[in-house]
Amino acid sequence: MLNDGIHAMVDYEKMSPAAKKLRDFYAIKPDAGIIQTEFGYYCLDAWKSQGHITDSTNLGELFMYEDTGWAGLHGLGWCEAGFEPCFTEEVIEDRGDYELVRDFAGRHVLYFKARRNGFMPEYVEHPVKDMKTWEENCKWRMNPDSPERYANLEKDMQWRITRANEGCVVQQGLVGGYMYLRSLIGPEDLLYKFYDEPELIHDCMKTWFELADKVISEHQKYVTLDEIFFAEDICYKSGSLISPDMMREFLLPYYQQIIDNLKSRQIDKSRHLFVQIDTDGFCYPVIDVYKEIGMDHMSPFEVASDCDVVEIGKKYPDLRIRGGIDKRILAAGKEAIDKMIDRIMPVMKKRGGYIPTCDHGVPEEVDFNDYMYYRKRMQEFKD
């Protein structure tokens, strides 16, 4: 058996340092070194205007981040459907200080004029209103046989093959069913469609499944997958946006079939497939539901929605956990940062299976020097 990370797992001692550290995370190895990384940023423009960083600043070096050991695979959407082609973006209406724009996902979005980032946009209209608009506007954009989807596949896969040879975790990402449906229909109208037009929902999900299954099967011709990562965002501050029964009817059967098909095609059939779910909000009510399809990794545990990674780590000792650093505390000064770190990090390092990141993008309210203080404190848990 060729231990190349594709036909069989690379021997641990031959893995790259990044791969070893990430594999220790997945093994929930007690007291293993903590991977140094971040979720993302909303603060960079503010820090540039304050003179702390420039466009040429290497943030990885500045903030003491590491190679995380992942090799991501994409092409199946993230917060929106995996359209090919996407909608043509255009300004539909000038409203003075605002402009109504059709975005790449076909939504009509109200933005500040000539500004697209750094605030929550207002979604005015979504492309799917019924079966007719689904078929006319969107369904054809999810053709799994569209040659444009695979135009650079062989070239793109070479880096993933190299990473697999190092023992890194090859991760297939895709938009989760709820987030996908929400991007098509809109969060409010979607709730009515579950009841009033279930055949539309199932047709949308069948199309989602057929696209994901085909694209993933093409990726699997080159590598063995270690993880499938559903970007879901199915929760809000107080719990799940749809009921467990709805999840079991409209989402989980398609997820399970994707997982089953993926496993059956693996080059290394002995490889455990990790299942990750990403959702903002208060995620506790959905953890056991997602465990029904084998979920064993979750993120990002939003603290403003009362998620506590220490509590979750104790209740679910077999759950890999990423996130859980309170963005509000990062903006509250060094004393508050110390208190948070001292409560979370010693416990979670001893437990294992934890990667700390901000529970969403670092907001612009965070002082640069306080963030640097946080990053230096986190180095205490690196090894």
Side-chain angles (χ1 to χ4, degrees):
M1 186 71 70
L2 185 60
N3 294 72
D4 60 356
I6 298 171
H7 298 85
M9 184 68 74
V10 177
D11 293 335
Y12 182 83
E13 62 273 13
K14 295 181 180 179
M15 291 181 180
S16 69
K20 288 180 180 177
K21 203 166 191 179
L22 186 56
R23 293 290 178 179
D24 287 345
F25 161 77
Y26 280 98
I28 314 184
K29 182 179 178 181
D31 207 39
I34 296 288
I35 293 171
Q36 304 291 303
T37 189
E38 186 54 272
F39 184 106
Y41 306 94
Y42 296 122
C43 53
L44 298 183
D45 287 343
W47 289 351
K48 287 176 186 176
S49 69
Q50 295 159 12
H52 297 298
I53 60 174
T54 68
D55 289 335
S56 61
T57 299
N58 185 319
L59 298 181
E61 290 183 4
L62 178 64
F63 298 139
M64 297 162 281
Y65 295 142
E66 302 173 291
D67 177 353
T68 59
W70 275 301
L73 288 164
H74 311 290
L76 293 170
W78 194 243
C79 295
E80 295 83 18
F83 290 148
E84 179 55 60
C86 293
F87 285 81
T88 301
E89 295 188 33
E90 64 176 327
V91 176
I92 297 172
E93 182 181 344
D94 187 320
R95 297 187 180 182
D97 293 336
Y98 305 92
E99 53 190 6
L100 189 66
V101 177
R102 182 179 65 191
D103 72 2
F104 73 97
R107 300 167 297 195
H108 292 187
V109 191
L110 194 63
Y111 291 111
F112 291 110
K113 185 166 286 185
R115 185 179 172 193
R116 297 290 184 267
N117 299 303
F119 62 95
M120 184 65 73
E122 180 181 345
Y123 295 99
V124 177
E125 186 176 327
H126 289 74
V128 175
K129 298 170 180 62
D130 49 31
M131 189 67 79
K132 182 174 184 291
T133 52
W134 157 239
E135 292 176 346
E136 290 179 351
N137 295 337
C138 297
K139 187 173 182 177
W140 64 273
R141 299 177 188 271
M142 298 182 67
N143 178 8
D145 297 315
S146 172
E148 290 80 6
R149 293 188 182 277
Y150 312 104
N152 299 308
L153 180 61
E154 187 162 352
K155 180 181 177 182
D156 290 344
M157 292 304 298
Q158 293 309 307
W159 179 73
R160 280 82 182 183
I161 292 170
T162 298
R163 296 284 277 178
N165 294 161
E166 296 171 355
C168 293
V169 170
V170 181
Q171 179 192 81
Q172 175 68 62
L174 71 164
V175 62
Y178 174 78
M179 188 123 76
Y180 156 76
L181 293 168
R182 186 182 69 185
S183 74
L184 295 175
I185 299 170
E188 184 175 346
D189 287 348
L190 176 59
L191 300 179
Y192 289 99
K193 297 292 189 212
F194 283 124
Y195 287 100
D196 298 337
E197 299 180 59
E199 67 283 354
L200 171 63
I201 301 300
H202 280 297
D203 197 61
C204 291
M205 287 304 299
K206 181 181 177 183
T207 302
W208 172 91
F209 164 79
E210 290 172 348
L211 172 61
D213 195 48
K214 175 63 184 298
V215 171
I216 293 171
S217 73
E218 293 299 315
H219 293 165
Q220 288 184 277
K221 294 177 181 177
Y222 297 86
V223 293
T224 292
L225 297 178
D226 294 287
E227 181 170 76
I228 186 166
F229 183 178
F230 297 96
E232 189 71 285
D233 276 7
I234 199 170
C235 298
Y236 71 118
K237 181 172 174 55
S238 299
S240 178
L241 287 156
I242 62 175
S243 71
D245 285 346
M246 282 185 171
M247 293 170 67
R248 293 185 180 104
E249 178 178 354
F250 294 106
L251 304 182
L252 299 195
Y254 298 97
Y255 290 11
Q256 191 64 66
Q257 193 63 59
I258 283 282
I259 291 167
D260 289 347
N261 288 10
L262 190 164
K263 288 180 177 178
S264 73
R265 294 189 299 257
Q266 291 276 56
I267 296 171
D268 177 6
K269 295 191 183 301
S270 69
R271 189 80 54 90
H272 176 75
L273 179 72
F274 292 97
V275 177
Q276 181 178 174
I277 300 291
D278 170 273
T279 180
D280 296 337
F282 183 63
C283 64
Y284 291 24
V286 302
I287 291 176
D288 288 328
V289 181
Y290 283 117
K291 277 185 163 289
E292 294 174 17
I293 59 163
M295 182 192 73
D296 41 22
H297 183 182
M298 201 170 201
S299 58
F301 294 94
E302 191 176 9
V303 187
S305 295
D306 299 321
C307 293
D308 182 341
V309 292
V310 173
E311 180 182 90
I312 285 290
K314 291 177 180 176
K315 184 173 181 181
Y316 296 97
D318 61 341
L319 185 66
R320 289 87 182 155
I321 296 170
R322 185 162 51 91
I325 297 298
D326 193 340
K327 53 186 171 286
R328 301 166 301 172
I329 296 296
L330 294 180
K334 295 178 178 61
E335 185 176 343
I337 290 171
D338 278 337
K339 186 176 179 180
M340 174 179 66
I341 289 174
D342 293 342
R343 186 185 74 84
I344 293 174
M345 293 307 301
V347 174
M348 296 304 288
K349 188 171 190 294
K350 183 177 180 180
R351 172 195 185 269
Y354 178 54
I355 298 176
T357 71
C358 187
D359 55 2
H360 218 281
V362 179
E364 64 179 15
E365 292 82 6
V366 176
D367 179 81
F368 175 82
N369 292 315
D370 286 344
Y371 188 73
M372 286 300 301
Y373 178 78
Y374 160 74
R375 289 300 313 137
K376 289 173 183 175
R377 278 289 329 261
M378 294 301 283
Q379 299 302 298
E380 299 169 19
F381 306 94
K382 180 178 180 180
D383 299 313

